[in-house]
Amino acid sequence: MLAEDFIENWDLFLAPYHQAVDELKLKLKTIRSEYRINGKHTPIEFVTGRVKTKESILEKMEIRHIEPEDLLIGVQDIAGIRIMCQFVEDIYIVAELIKERQDMKVLLIRDYIKNHKESGYRSYHMVIEYPVHRADGMTKVIVEVQIRTLAMNFWATIEHSLNYKYSGMYPEHILMRLQRASEAAFQLDEEMSEIRSEIREATYYFENRHD
Ligand code: 0O2
Ligand code: 0O2
C-alpha cells in the first residue's frame, strides 16, 4: 500500500505496525526471561509499546508540514517500543543485542544520554527496520526504539504530561525545575551504577576468597 493511499484505509495501513509492536514486545520480553532463567541480571527491566493513533499521526504531519508521500520517512515513530533498564550500562547492552540481531536492521541512532536534549531529556533512540510477514507478503516497518533507565523514564513521563498542559511553553521557574530534576535523575543513575559496581566487586571478592 502506498503511503499516499493511507487516508483511504487507516486500519489496513496501521496493521503491520501493530504486528511489529506485538512481535517486538514478545521478542524483547523473551530476552528478559532468558536472562532470568540463566540466573543473570537482566538488562531489560520492562518493555512497553504502542502504535500512534490516526489523530496523533495527522497532528504530527501538520505541525511538521509532512506531505502524505513523505509520511514513512517523516514520521518514524508510528510504531514505538520503549525498553526500561535498571542501569545506564544496561542500555548499551540492550543496544548491542539489537544491533547483533538478524531480524532487526538499525537505520539510525540518537544518543540523548551522551548528548541530552535542551529540555533535559535523556534516552537512547534507535530507528530500526523490522520485516513483518503478512498474508499478502513481507513488508518492512520502521520502528522507533527508546531505551532508558527507570529514572530517565520517570522524568520523561512527568515532563511529557506537563508538556500537554503547557504546550511546550513552560514558565521560566518550571523550566528551571525540570532541568534540575533531570540533573537529579542523572545523579541518581550515577549513584546506582556506583553502588552496582561496588556490589559486583564485593561479590567477586567473596566468591574468590580462599579461606
Ligand atoms: P508483567 O511483567 O506481568 O507486568 P498489551 O496489553 O499486550 O498491548 P502490555 O505489555 O500488557 O500490552 O502493556 P504495555 O502498556 O505495552 O506495557 C506495560 C508493561 O509494562 C506491563 O507489563 C507493565 O506491568 C509493565 N510496567 C509498567 N510500568 C512498570 C514499572 O514501573 N515497573 C515494571 N517492572 N514494569 C512496569 P506486562 O506485559 O503486563 O508484564
Ligand atoms: P510521543 O509519542 O507523544 O512520545 P527531531 O526532533 O526531529 O530531532 P524526532 O523525530 O522528534 O526528532 O525524534 P526524537 O526527538 O529522536 O524522538 C521523539 C520522541 O522522543 C518523542 O516522541 C518523545 O517520545 C521522545 N522525546 C524527545 N524529546 C523529548 C522531551 O524533551 N521530553 C519527553 N518527555 N520526551 C521526549 P513524540 O513525537 O514527541 O511523541
Side-chain angles (χ1 to χ4, degrees), residues 25 29 32 45-49:
K25 268 165 62 176
K29 286 179 183 185
R32 184 186 61 181
E45 181 63 16
F46 68 98
V47 182
T48 64

Side-chain angles (χ1 to χ4, degrees), residues 20-36 42-49 80-85 93-99 101 103-104 126 128 130 143-147:
V21 166
D22 287 347
E23 289 184 14
L24 285 167
K25 268 165 62 176
L26 181 65
K27 288 180 178 185
L28 292 160
K29 286 179 183 185
T30 306
I31 296 179
R32 184 186 61 181
S33 320
E34 279 178 55
Y35 272 89
R36 292 210 171 134
T42 169
I44 297 176
E45 181 63 16
F46 68 98
V47 182
T48 64
I81 289 283
R82 199 167 274 166
I83 305 170
M84 266 52 69
C85 310
I93 294 172
V94 175
E96 281 310 310
L97 289 175
I98 290 176
K99 282 182 209 163
R101 288 188 73 110
D103 54 350
M104 304 171 197
M126 297 175 110
I128 64 164
Y130 179 75
V143 181
E144 186 193 70
V145 182
Q146 301 180 345
I147 318 175

Side-chain angles (χ1 to χ4, degrees), residues 50 60 64 110 112 117 119 125 146 156 159-160:
R50 63 100 185 93
K60 192 160 188 174
R64 300 207 173 176
R110 295 190 186 104
Y112 298 127
K117 284 200 163 189
S119 60
H125 289 198
Q146 301 180 345
E159 196 272 343
H160 194 263

Side-chain angles (χ1 to χ4, degrees), residues 133-161:
H133 295 270
R134 311 271 307 156
D136 56 357
M138 193 268 280
T139 168
K140 289 178 181 166
V141 169
I142 303 279
V143 181
E144 186 193 70
V145 182
Q146 301 180 345
I147 318 175
R148 44 171 79 154
T149 61
L150 297 167
M152 291 171 192
N153 190 49
F154 181 41
W155 183 92
T157 306
I158 290 171
E159 196 272 343
H160 194 263
S161 39

